[in-house]
Amino acid sequence: MAALSRFFPALRRELGRLSAGSASQGRFLSSDASGYHLGNGPSSMRAAVFWEPGRPLSIEDFHMPRPKAGEVLIKTKACGVCHSDLHVMNGDLPFARPCVVGHEITGEVVEHGVHTESGIIKRFPIGAHVVGAFIMPCRNCFYCVKGQEDLCEPFFTYNRAKGTLYDGETRLFLRSNGKPVYMYSMGGLAEYCVVPATALAVLPASLPYTESAILGCAAFTAYGAMRHAADMRAGETVAVIGIGGVGSSCLQIAKAFGGSKIIAVDVQDEKLENARKLGATHTVNASKVNVVDTIKEITGGRGVDIAVEALGKPETFMQTALSVMDGGKAVMIGLAASGAKAEIDITRLVRRQIKILGSYGGRARQDLPILVGLAETGIFNLEAAVSKKCTFDEAGAVYDALNRGEIVGRAVVEIM
């Protein structure tokens, strides 16, 4: 008994030491970050930081981000430029600051988090080419278990509400002072980024890094809208209002799904001309004609089976709802400023069985590999979808151009 009584205090001390170690590992602080090296390689990287509305992006030095269990460190090759980033940068949507934006990426696997499952390591070995989706499912919450990964609770609770991954911590710390910087999705506008493995798909060597980056948001969002929200069938008619990066991807997906009439609506003739190359059978310049009347004229007075709103404006929301036929589906994918509202004719909605559907992204584990396949076979034309490429140091300028409406399709930042 005497020996045991001497043993228990020592055991308690050891358990306390292990518990403290586990806590520090689970709550990865900047002091830990400063000691992390990528193998025998670099211990730091650069990333573009958004500080506050009206202040330009700045390229800053960071400690090398460190992946945890189930996470993968990616050497970023390319990152798409999306209006969702602009909503954050313009202050339309609240988000933790300072942060690194950029949420559709391609890159190369360079590290796995400690205790990552062997199946993940086998699927995404060191050196694998990958593409990342902006919705990073946890796979364990109520919605992920149901297969609705686009409603993943930790994604919205932690990443979109707090700018962290699902342990409540960011992986980004400034090299100058060790302070945390938050992550919009994976914070892809960086030389390296940490991504939960659930958001990744293998990118075949036949597909280019740069153009393939748009699979993680623009194409991903379009596919989710047409496949899950609209449940589009061959032969149906479709109108897409707003032909930017996501709207133009909707045209390609509608064509792939066998749309009989695909109507592109925008106010810029250059975008409408490009829409013809992406699958539009008809184009409508909203600055010159009445959108709803013209869509009904094209469809024999009925309206379309499916209308997609890709701008996030009250006016286009209403146009979308009015453009569908009786029993039709109006799918809303454009983000708006917080608190923005639109009106709906309730009686028409009820009597004519109009369906108003919101759609945000897609379901990474099932949809992203399908999109990779569509791109690999040429059904989804990556080259036609990307209209501008720029260097990492030009990222701020290309976001300014997007804000001025000067990007016809999708711009991509090359970080290689």
Side-chain angles (χ1 to χ4, degrees), residues 238 251 260-265 272 275-276 279-284 294 298-299:
V238 178
L251 298 177
S260 59
K261 291 181 179 178
I262 302 172
I263 306 167
V265 181
L272 294 174
R276 291 276 187 179
T281 58
H282 300 75
T283 58
V284 177
T294 306
I298 294 169
T299 55

Side-chain angles (χ1 to χ4, degrees), residues 48-68:
V49 179
F50 164 66
W51 298 93
E52 60 186 358
R55 180 174 172 181
L57 292 176
S58 63
I59 306 294
E60 305 290 344
D61 289 328
F62 283 77
H63 295 300
M64 182 62 66
R66 185 177 188 173
K68 297 186 181 180

Side-chain angles (χ1 to χ4, degrees), residues 22 56 72 79 83 85 109 132 148 152 154 159 208-209 216 225 232 256 266 293 380 383 388 403:
S22 298
V72 179
C79 181
H83 263 286
D85 296 321
V109 174
Q148 293 177 279
C152 175
N159 190 264
Y209 277 127
M232 184 184 169
D266 206 280
D293 289 347
F380 190 95
E383 186 175 348
K388 184 175 179 60
N403 201 29

Side-chain angles (χ1 to χ4, degrees), residues 122-264:
K122 184 177 180 180
R123 193 179 320 128
F124 305 115
I126 302 299
H129 297 190
V130 293
V131 56
F134 80 91
I135 293 181
M136 308 174 295
C138 74
R139 77 180 180 177
N140 296 316
C141 73
F142 175 81
Y143 290 106
C144 283
V145 170
K146 288 176 61 180
Q148 293 177 279
E149 295 178 349
D150 40 352
L151 291 173
C152 175
E153 291 171 311
F155 173 74
F156 289 100
T157 301
Y158 287 98
N159 190 264
R160 283 300 180 262
K162 300 178 182 179
T164 70
L165 294 184
Y166 306 151
D167 60 350
E169 294 289 339
T170 181
R171 303 293 183 265
L172 299 175
F173 298 90
L174 289 167
R175 195 179 183 194
S176 60
N177 55 23
K179 290 186 177 180
V181 173
Y182 299 100
M183 307 163 65
Y184 192 66
S185 289
M186 70 287 290
L189 207 55
E191 293 175 330
Y192 293 83
C193 61
V194 172
V195 187
T198 52
L200 296 173
V202 172
L203 189 69
S206 59
L207 290 180
Y209 277 127
T210 299
E211 289 82 356
S212 297
I214 72 166
L215 295 174
C217 177
F220 185 64
T221 299
Y223 185 88
M226 306 310 290
R227 173 66 183 87
H228 302 302
D231 191 21
M232 184 184 169
R233 307 301 172 93
E236 290 188 316
T237 54
V238 178
V240 180
I241 299 179
I243 311 301
V246 176
S248 59
S249 293
C250 286
L251 298 177
Q252 291 212 58
I253 297 297
K255 179 183 178 182
F257 284 4
S260 59
K261 291 181 179 178
I262 302 172
I263 306 167

Side-chain angles (χ1 to χ4, degrees), residues 48-57 76 78-105 132-136 155 159-160 182-190 213-214 216-218 221 245-246 310-311 333-337 360 390 392 395-396 398-404 407 409-413 415:
V49 179
F50 164 66
W51 298 93
E52 60 186 358
R55 180 174 172 181
L57 292 176
T76 315
C79 181
V81 177
C82 181
H83 263 286
S84 297
D85 296 321
L86 271 185
H87 282 300
V88 172
M89 295 162 68
N90 290 338
D92 297 329
L93 293 176
F95 193 77
R97 302 195 305 261
C99 69
V100 173
V101 293
H103 56 271
E104 53 179 19
I105 61 103
F134 80 91
I135 293 181
M136 308 174 295
F155 173 74
N159 190 264
R160 283 300 180 262
Y182 299 100
M183 307 163 65
Y184 192 66
S185 289
M186 70 287 290
L189 207 55
I214 72 166
C217 177
T221 299
V246 176
L311 281 175
I333 61 176
L335 293 177
Y360 187 65
C390 70
F392 189 29
V398 81
Y399 274 104
D400 290 340
L402 180 66
N403 201 29
R404 293 191 298 267
I407 305 298
R410 195 63 144 192
V412 178
V413 178
I415 308 178

